[in-house]
Every structure is written in structure tokens, then in C-alpha cells.
Amino acid sequence: KGYFVKVHRGIGWGEILKNIFSLKWPVVSARNELSAINKCEELGIATMKVVGFGERGTAPDRLESFLITEELENTVSLEEFCINWKNNPPDFRLKTALIRKVAGIARILHRNGVNHRDFYICHFLLDRKSNPSSSPFNLYLIDLHRVQIRKHTPRRWIIKDLSGLFFSSMDIGLTKRDLFRFMKVYSGKPLRSIFKEDLHFWRQVLDRAVKLYKKDFKRLPALF
């Protein structure tokens, strides 16, 4: 049986201070990912299954820790699954089901004080045995080591998550209608209310996603 092992070793005060001065919370232990997995399970979000955890030391710069999870077998990342959608459009029901699922996961996380910080489609793993277009299916959220958990998710971290998700989806042939579907599920509102009440928020999300894309690729897809 396969397992995935993540080992953390002391990162030193230099790296800790570098993160703090950059307004980023440093990750010094595998305990952060353990807490994130437990929170996802509490919220009903499919993720990795923990089978082992250990930690030693007290000084944050010298903590040593590990996390062992079961291998997620027979899965494919959404980045890989959707790579040919632009030239070979998928079944409408399949695409809609995946958009709704991802939007629902994002909504649950952000409404419950959780932000991912690396919220890209490559960190969603689809169970190959399921058929999203005709039945319930599992979509696993992974790479949770930088997750932050609070009572309420700050707006700037919500924007960071959603812009990362949009950025990583720009090359898979999504339409404006697809984006509108995502917005409706995420917001729990009809489009008319979204455009009236939340237009500035979604413009901030899109603007940040566009900046990320231009930084890497310079030329935007036709939709944008």
C-alpha cells in the first residue's frame, strides 16, 4: 500500500523573520497540515487520510516533524484532467458538475474561516473511478501545509485564493458563462445581486488573476 510522507526540519530564524517581514505566516511544522486536514474532515471536504504524525522540539526555528498520509490512488489533478478542454470541449454536464464542486469547496472553506494560500486547480484530485456528469464523485483537496484557520477569513486572503483558482484555470477554455456559474454557487446569489452588490470584489479577484497570468505568460487568453 502506498503512503505519502512529508518531513519538516528546522527552518531557522532567518527564514521565519523573512516570512514575517513579508507579512506571511511561517510554516514551521507538519502540525499545520494536520490541523488543516482535520478541519477539512470536519467540514465534509474530501482530502488526505492521516496515518501518522510526529513532532519534537519546542523552539520554532528548530522544530522537527513529519506527517504520513495514505496515497490517493487512481486520481488525476484537475490541471491534467482539463488540459485539453480548450481544443476538445468536455461534456457540458461534466464541466458544470466540476465547476459547482470546486465553487462549493471554496465557499465552505471561506465561510468557515479557512484559506488555502495555494488554491490552484492542480491541488484538486479527481477520483478516476467516478463520473462527475452522472453521479456523486470525490474531489480531493491537497497540499494543505500553508492553510490558515481563523474564526473569519480576511477578505484579502479570500481574494488571493479565488484569484489563484482563476489564474490556474485561464488556459482550459472556460467561458464567461462558466465563470458566472462559479460566482453564483460561491456567492449563493443570483447574477443580478452579484453585479449589484459584489462587483468590486469580483473585479479585484479578476484583476489579481490577470496580473498573475501576465507575470508568467504576458498574453491573456481571448476570454479576458
Side-chain angles (χ1 to χ4, degrees):
K1 190 169 184 178
Y3 296 90
F4 184 80
V5 182
K6 186 171 288 187
V7 178
H8 287 250
R9 295 184 175 87
I11 63 174
W13 278 113
E15 186 65 22
I16 291 174
L17 293 174
K18 176 184 173 183
N19 277 265
I20 292 174
F21 290 142
S22 300
L23 302 181
K24 299 176 183 177
W25 190 253
V27 178
V28 299
S29 169
R31 184 178 294 278
N32 197 71
E33 189 156 16
L34 176 66
S35 299
I37 291 173
N38 290 338
K39 186 66 175 180
C40 282
E41 289 179 347
E42 175 191 323
L43 297 175
I45 295 172
T47 186
M48 302 161 286
K49 182 178 179 181
V50 176
V51 294
F53 168 77
E55 184 180 65
R56 66 183 176 190
T58 54
D61 61 319
R62 290 182 289 173
L63 272 180
E64 294 181 311
S65 59
F66 68 86
L67 182 72
I68 305 173
T69 57
E70 289 186 355
E71 180 184 10
L72 290 171
E73 298 177 332
N74 203 19
T75 59
V76 58
S77 77
L78 286 191
E79 181 179 52
E80 184 180 349
F81 185 76
C82 305
I83 196 168
N84 293 319
W85 278 13
K86 199 168 188 176
N87 299 317
N88 186 21
D91 175 79
F92 174 77
R93 290 173 300 174
L94 182 149
K95 180 172 69 167
T96 301
L98 286 173
I99 290 171
R100 289 182 176 277
K101 187 77 168 181
V102 172
I105 290 172
R107 175 184 171 88
I108 291 170
L109 290 175
H110 294 158
R111 297 302 183 278
N112 289 277
V114 182
N115 60 283
H116 190 282
R117 295 174 74 190
D118 293 301
F119 208 47
Y120 309 118
I121 60 173
C122 62
H123 293 147
F124 289 89
L125 300 186
L126 176 64
D127 184 352
R128 290 182 184 270
K129 295 177 290 186
S130 58
N131 183 0
S133 61
S134 61
S135 62
F137 62 98
N138 282 327
L139 189 64
Y140 302 96
L141 182 62
I142 64 168
D143 203 24
L144 305 176
H145 68 283
R146 299 212 305 149
V147 162
Q148 295 174 325
I149 303 173
R150 308 175 178 85
K151 283 189 176 181
H152 303 287
T153 310
R155 180 185 176 100
R156 74 184 187 96
W157 288 109
I158 293 176
I159 290 172
K160 183 183 188 305
D161 270 5
L162 294 179
S163 62
L165 195 61
F166 277 22
F167 156 72
S168 64
S169 306
M170 283 186 177
D171 284 327
I172 64 173
L174 295 181
T175 67
K176 286 185 179 180
R177 288 182 180 274
D178 292 328
L179 299 185
F180 292 159
R181 288 187 190 97
F182 178 94
M183 291 161 64
K184 286 168 65 177
V185 173
Y186 178 84
S187 301
K189 300 177 182 179
L191 276 180
R192 180 175 296 182
S193 297
I194 291 173
F195 289 142
K196 183 177 180 181
E197 301 166 8
D198 304 325
L199 188 59
H200 179 65
F201 167 78
W202 287 106
R203 285 200 179 279
Q204 286 182 299
V205 170
L206 184 60
D207 287 348
R208 185 181 175 104
V210 166
K211 286 180 182 178
L212 286 171
Y213 194 94
K214 283 183 174 179
K215 182 179 178 181
D216 285 353
F217 303 103
K218 297 185 179 179
R219 177 177 291 184
L220 289 171
L223 171 64
F224 300 91

